[in-house]
Amino acid sequence: MIQFKNLIKRFGDRTVLKGLSLDIREGEILFILGTSGTGKSVLLKNLVGLLRPDEGEIWIDGEEVSRLSEEEYLPVRKKCGMVFQHPALFDSLTIFENVAFGLRRHYRLDEETISLKVKKALSLVHLTGIENKKPAEISYGMQKRVSLARTVALEPRILLFDEPTTGLDPVTTNAVNQLILDLSRTLKTTSLVVSHDMHCALGIADRIVVLDKGEIVALGTPDEMKKSQVPLVRDFLAEVLA
Ligand SMILES: Nc1ncnc2c1ncn2[C@@H]1O[C@H](COP(=O)(O)OP(=O)(O)OP(=O)(O)O)[C@@H](O)[C@H]1O
Ligand SMILES: [Mg+2]
C-alpha cells in the first residue's frame, strides 16, 4: 500500500537518500533504525509531503503522490498521521483543546462529536481526567502521549512516529511502545516507527529496516534481524544482547 521506488533526496550537493526502494505492507508495524543523520526523518517527511524527493516515486494506495501540488496533497496528508519527536503542544490551550485542534481544523463536526472523539483518543493513550489541564501542568511523558492522542483523534490509516520514546524513562518508554502496538492492532493502522531502540523494535515490530547513509542495509523480521551478520545490525544488537 506504501511504496518507495528509487527515492533520491539531495540537499545541495549532498545526497541523503540514495535510491531507496521499500514496500510497506498494509497493517504492519515497520521499525526504521539507523544512526543519526542517516535520513530517517527525511524519509518520513517525504511521505507526508513536507519534503519532496528529487527523483523516484512514492505510491500510496495506488497513487503516485510525490509530484502532487500542495492542495492535491491534503487528502494524502489526512491519511498519514505524524507524531513528531517533540510534543509541541499549544501552551495556552487545555489538553482537550490541543487534541480537538486538528478535528476543528480539518472537519466540520458538532461539539458533541468533537468531545466524544477527544475523550476516545485520550482514553486510548490511557489519559483521562486531565482534559482541563494545561500542558505545563503535566509531565513530559504525558505530553508525548497527548501528542499521540492528537494524531490518533484524526483516525489516520497510516501512523508515522519519529522517535516516539527518545527522552523518556524506561517505564514510560515501555508504555508508549505498548501503546503503539495496541493502536496498530485496535485501529488496524499501518505504522512506521523511527527509532534507535533495537530492543523495542525486536519486541513490537513486524519488520525492521536498517538504514545506513541513506541506503537500506538490512530488512527483515525480528527473528531474521537477530541472525543478521550485517555489521551495523550487529552493533545495534550488541546493546540489546549485552
Ligand atoms: N531541510 C533540510 N535542509 C538541509 N539538510 C537537511 C534538511 N533536513 C535534513 N537534512 C540533512 O539530511 C541528513 C539526514 O537528516 P535526518 O533528519 O533524516 O536524519 P535522521 O536519520 O533522522 O537522524 P536523527 O537520528 O539524528 O534524527 C542530515 O545530514 C541533515 O543535516
Ligand atoms: Mg530524525
Side-chain angles (χ1 to χ4, degrees), residues 9 42 44-52 70 73 77 82 84:
K9 179 65 191 173
V42 166
L44 291 194
K45 286 178 186 165
N46 270 284
L47 186 59
V48 292
L50 291 174
L51 290 171
R52 300 301 180 103
E70 272 302 298
Y73 221 102
R77 229 168 255 157
M82 180 138 169
F84 291 91

Side-chain angles (χ1 to χ4, degrees), residues 8 17 23 34 42 45 55 57 101 104 117 121 124 148 154 177 184 186 195 199 201 227 231:
I8 294 181
L17 299 177
D23 282 11
V42 166
K45 286 178 186 165
E55 290 175 41
E57 298 176 355
F101 192 83
R104 293 194 198 285
K117 283 182 184 286
L124 275 171
L148 234 139
L154 300 169
N177 280 314
S184 302
T186 319
S195 172
H199 178 71
K227 295 181 208 133

Side-chain angles (χ1 to χ4, degrees), residues 11 14 16 34-43 45 51 85 162-163 194 196:
F11 294 107
R14 189 146 176 252
V16 173
T35 46
S36 202
T38 200
K40 304 181 298 293
S41 298
V42 166
L43 184 65
K45 286 178 186 165
L51 290 171
Q85 183 171 343
D162 200 347
E163 304 197 20
V194 165
H196 292 117

Side-chain angles (χ1 to χ4, degrees), residues 178-198:
Q178 191 56 45
L179 211 62
I180 292 173
L181 191 57
D182 291 348
L183 290 173
S184 302
R185 300 297 181 245
T186 319
L187 306 174
K188 296 194 171 34
T189 51
T190 303
S191 302
L192 270 64
V193 188
V194 165
S195 172
H196 292 117
D197 192 338
M198 183 57 104

